Amino acid sequence: MADEFGPLGGRSLGFLGCGTINVALVRGILRHGAKDGELAPKFPLVVSPRNAEKAAALVQEFGEQYVKIAADNQALIDGSEVVVVGLTPPLVPEVLPQLKFRSGQRMINVVATCSNDQMAELTEGAVAPGSIVKIIPLPCFAHGKGVVSFFPDTSVQALSFLRTVSPCVGVKTVDQMRTLTTAGALMGPYYQYLATSCKFLTDNGVDPEVAAAYLGDLLLGVAHDSAGASTPQRFTDLVEEQTPGGINLQMVQHLQSTGAYDELYKGMGGVLERLNKAAAQK
């Protein structure tokens, strides 16, 4: 796989779908994947014309030398050695069978609910499962932040162009990948946590602009202490560091008493169940 993909500079890369994640990938690669002050790709990154506004914004930001809008989806496939599929799940079985992939073409699968085997089947076998890498990035990739999970873990060198932007964590089995993907579903609840906290501050007299600025940077700093954890014990240690009788421990105990953490565990289980059901569908 590594030899097949090679570094980004040696391969033309097309982004099928121009939604939040694919746009974040393009921005992350072009903003943060550069070396020695030069943008990394030797070929323009080809983006889907489906979301014309987002595609045009990428061209305006980086220039036609680095971003090209395909005439249509088939032109994108024809002009790309590696296709990054970032369609919404309902569109995948609708769009992929209409496209003609080349035998031996490579694919990066960014669709959380679709397995590599399913993707290969939808290309009528033109793209083999062994020529597909599944990745789960988040929107913060655009800022050179976060982490990208990928399967199989043997494709680490193939994703070297992503590793110049943010850390990448590989897993050995497709079951592990589905389970790890559930953690990506924590992004939305985190934002809702911020929104609820901001509402409390503003309801109690803090100016909205102050509340938003404070919370955003406060939680960013808190998250920094957990970055780079090498064992689960790191998170337990951070909880146990909270001052006995202090306000942080008070909040932990309150949420425990309401069952909030148990519900979080159940919620992740519900996401995994959905992913497993999607994987079982043919």
Side-chain angles (χ1 to χ4, degrees), residues 116-182:
N116 291 350
D117 287 343
Q118 289 169 326
M119 288 292 198
E121 185 175 343
L122 289 170
T123 69
E124 298 184 348
V127 182
S131 295
I132 302 175
V133 177
K134 186 178 186 67
I135 69 171
I136 301 296
L138 292 177
C140 56
F141 184 87
H143 307 291
K145 304 296 182 181
V147 61
V148 177
S149 59
F150 66 93
F151 167 80
D153 62 351
T154 53
S155 57
V156 60
Q157 293 303 318
L159 299 176
S160 59
F161 68 94
L162 296 180
R163 293 166 61 218
T164 63
V165 180
S166 78
C168 294
V169 175
V171 293
K172 298 182 182 301
T173 70
V174 66
D175 288 341
Q176 290 177 343
M177 186 64 178
R178 283 198 295 272
T179 302
L180 200 63
T181 299
T182 64

Side-chain angles (χ1 to χ4, degrees), residues 3 8 23 32 75 95 108 134 138 144 176 219 230 235 239:
D3 290 337
L8 175 61
V23 168
H32 305 283
V95 173
I108 296 177
K134 186 178 186 67
L138 292 177
Q176 290 177 343
L219 272 296
S230 58
F235 307 127
V239 175

Side-chain angles (χ1 to χ4, degrees), residues 26-240:
V26 171
R27 285 200 164 108
I29 291 167
L30 294 178
R31 288 175 178 172
H32 305 283
K35 294 183 177 179
D36 300 325
E38 297 181 3
L39 295 174
K42 295 181 180 178
F43 301 99
L45 303 184
V46 182
V47 298
S48 171
R50 181 177 178 86
N51 191 320
E53 184 177 347
K54 288 186 177 181
L58 291 173
V59 174
Q60 182 176 10
E61 181 175 352
F62 299 105
E64 295 182 353
Q65 180 182 359
Y66 296 108
V67 179
K68 175 183 177 182
I69 302 175
D72 53 40
N73 285 339
Q74 187 58 57
L76 184 147
I77 302 301
D78 294 342
S80 305
E81 295 175 86
V82 182
V83 179
V84 183
V85 180
L87 300 168
T88 59
L91 285 177
V92 173
E94 175 185 332
V95 173
L96 287 193
Q98 298 178 6
L99 301 173
K100 184 174 179 58
F101 289 80
R102 301 187 299 279
S103 177
Q105 201 162 19
R106 314 303 175 203
M107 180 186 293
I108 296 177
N109 172 15
V110 190
V111 185
T113 57
C114 293
S115 69
N116 291 350
D117 287 343
Q118 289 169 326
M119 288 292 198
E121 185 175 343
L122 289 170
T123 69
E124 298 184 348
V127 182
S131 295
I132 302 175
V133 177
K134 186 178 186 67
I135 69 171
I136 301 296
L138 292 177
C140 56
F141 184 87
H143 307 291
K145 304 296 182 181
V147 61
V148 177
S149 59
F150 66 93
F151 167 80
D153 62 351
T154 53
S155 57
V156 60
Q157 293 303 318
L159 299 176
S160 59
F161 68 94
L162 296 180
R163 293 166 61 218
T164 63
V165 180
S166 78
C168 294
V169 175
V171 293
K172 298 182 182 301
T173 70
V174 66
D175 288 341
Q176 290 177 343
M177 186 64 178
R178 283 198 295 272
T179 302
L180 200 63
T181 299
T182 64
L186 297 176
M187 178 181 67
Y190 171 77
Y191 293 146
Q192 184 59 56
Y193 179 87
L194 286 170
T196 301
S197 302
C198 195
K199 183 179 185 303
F200 175 84
L201 294 181
T202 57
D203 284 350
N204 285 274
V206 179
D207 290 341
E209 295 80 6
V210 173
Y214 179 73
L215 279 171
D217 287 340
L218 172 70
L219 272 296
L220 177 63
V222 169
H224 179 77
D225 285 338
S226 65
S230 58
T231 69
Q233 185 61 39
R234 174 58 179 157
F235 307 127
T236 301
D237 290 344
L238 286 170
V239 175
E240 292 177 348

